[in-house]
Amino acid sequence: MIQYASGGKESFEGKRVAISGSGNVAQYAALKAIELGATIISLSDSKGSLIATDDKGITAELVGIIADLKVKRKQLTELANSSEYKNKFKYIEGARPWKECGKVDVALPSATQNEVSGDEAEALIDAGAKFIAEGSNMGCTQEAIDIFEKHRREKKGEAIWYAPEAKRTSSFAGKAANAGGVAVSGLEMAQNSARLTWTSEEVDEKLKGIMKACFANGLETAKEYVTPGEGEFPSLVAGSNIAGFKKVAAAMLDQGDWW
Ligand SMILES: NC(=O)C1=CN([C@@H]2O[C@H](COP(=O)(O)OP(=O)(O)OC[C@H]3O[C@@H](n4cnc5c(N)ncnc54)[C@H](OP(=O)(O)O)[C@@H]3O)[C@@H](O)[C@H]2O)C=CC1
Ligand SMILES: O=C(O)CCC(=O)C(=O)O
């Protein structure tokens, strides 16, 4: 998505990435973004948000410490109150990160449903966010989606890119963001059925292929069905929904489940 929107000039390298949540999805989103060269500027939980105050951001080591906390069902407040960490981050009780994280390039809602409101969508745009990709299921409210889509139509090549999560139409691997988890479940099922064992590197490589195909499918379907205005990015919301619908309809037809 970043490469396509920037004509191949940009990647995650050097991007400031705001993430909500600190569970499974948020932790692995953070580790992957760090691996790709990004700086993580926030994580959160149901009690509040941890905001990085230096250029290093939330490191892989800290994500590991948070993972240990979460296994013990502890809150980020433990970290925020510890003598070792309390001066390294800003902890904001009861807040989600979107209005608190300062300049941001990429936002990855990864906690729970309806976790980006219309106001927060505006705040993300004002803070410079160009890419929003949902890890959580139905992370953005309809008001937020409408704001991102309006921005896409009005700002054309300068617009924000919003990639919806995968299951808004219960599709498998047909949509632009979030499909990674269910795709890896598919890879696990394939290994089990064929009595195969792939290394994590092999799984990651296969996953990359699936995610690229998934993005290309949403993008090409958007171009095919919804003619964008002059200079406008195609709508990944429309493309992904239509591609998802087509995939499910084709599977039903193949199974004779059609009336
Ligand atoms: N993309 C994918 O492949 C997958 C997506 N998902 C979806 O992603 C989301 C997160 O899943 P996962 O990481 O597995 O879940 P976890 O339970 O591991 O983590 C959820 C995180 O979100 C926080 N949270 C939960 N409810 C709220 C709330 N109301 N307000 C603020 N923070 C909240 C939790 O805080 P606390 O620690 O305080 O409880 C926790 O940090 C869900 O929507 C899930 O359905 C899940 C699996 C795969
Ligand atoms: O584990 C999976 O198959 C995907 C899970 C998922 O995306 C979810 O629980 O929302």
Side-chain angles (χ1 to χ4, degrees):
M1 182 159 86
I2 297 177
Q3 282 180 357
Y4 180 89
S6 66
K9 291 193 206 95
E10 291 178 36
S11 65
F12 261 98
E13 184 74 44
K15 295 270 183 300
R16 287 172 60 83
V17 178
I19 299 178
S20 61
S22 48
N24 287 306
V25 174
Q27 289 166 25
Y28 285 97
L31 292 175
K32 179 52 85 175
I34 292 168
E35 182 192 313
L36 296 175
T39 303
I40 307 305
I41 54 177
S42 69
L43 286 173
S44 67
D45 65 15
S46 57
K47 300 284 183 279
S49 290
L50 204 60
I51 311 288
T53 49
D54 66 15
D55 293 343
K56 280 202 302 192
I58 296 171
T59 59
E61 187 196 356
L62 192 61
V63 174
I65 292 169
I66 291 172
D68 287 345
L69 276 182
K70 288 301 167 187
V71 167
K72 293 177 192 141
R73 302 195 176 279
K74 293 188 174 167
Q75 302 300 134
L76 292 175
T77 38
E78 297 254 341
L79 205 63
N81 293 333
S82 79
S83 54
E84 193 178 351
Y85 290 104
K86 73 174 170 201
N87 297 324
K88 295 196 176 151
F89 301 93
K90 187 163 70 169
Y91 177 76
I92 305 165
E93 203 173 327
R96 294 194 287 233
W98 317 125
K99 290 183 173 179
E100 313 292 342
C101 54
K103 183 188 168 310
V104 57
D105 301 305
V106 178
L108 306 177
S110 302
T112 188
Q113 70 274 15
N114 294 320
E115 54 166 327
V116 184
S117 66
D119 280 359
E120 287 166 323
E122 298 277 12
L124 281 169
I125 291 172
D126 291 345
K130 278 289 177 67
F131 303 97
I132 315 289
E134 287 172 341
S136 52
N137 296 331
M138 306 186 81
C140 293
T141 58
Q142 190 58 48
E143 290 75 25
I145 296 168
D146 291 344
I147 286 164
F148 295 142
E149 281 292 278
K150 182 165 175 274
H151 196 262
R152 181 186 59 77
R153 286 191 300 272
E154 290 176 353
K155 300 286 175 181
K156 304 191 183 293
E158 294 301 308
I160 204 151
W161 263 45
Y162 163 67
E165 55 89 4
K167 295 175 285 296
R168 280 178 192 267
T169 52
S170 307
S171 71
F172 171 67
K175 299 187 75 174
N178 173 295
V182 81
V184 172
S185 293
L187 295 175
E188 284 165 0
M189 288 164 74
Q191 287 175 88
N192 290 343
S193 299
R195 311 286 189 269
L196 288 172
T197 309
W198 294 324
T199 62
S200 54
E201 289 78 14
E202 283 173 307
V203 171
D204 200 46
E205 209 42 50
K206 290 179 200 301
L207 177 60
K208 273 183 205 150
I210 292 170
M211 296 311 289
K212 275 187 190 159
C214 190
F215 174 73
N217 190 7
L219 183 69
E220 293 309 319
T221 308
K223 288 185 198 161
E224 184 184 345
Y225 285 87
V226 192
T227 310
E230 179 71 27
E232 228 176 64
F233 284 142
S235 168
L236 292 178
V237 178
S240 301
N241 279 325
I242 297 167
F245 177 83
K246 282 179 66 178
K247 201 162 189 116
V248 173
M252 288 172 72
L253 198 57
D254 281 351
Q255 289 180 41
D257 189 10
W258 199 256
W259 60 94

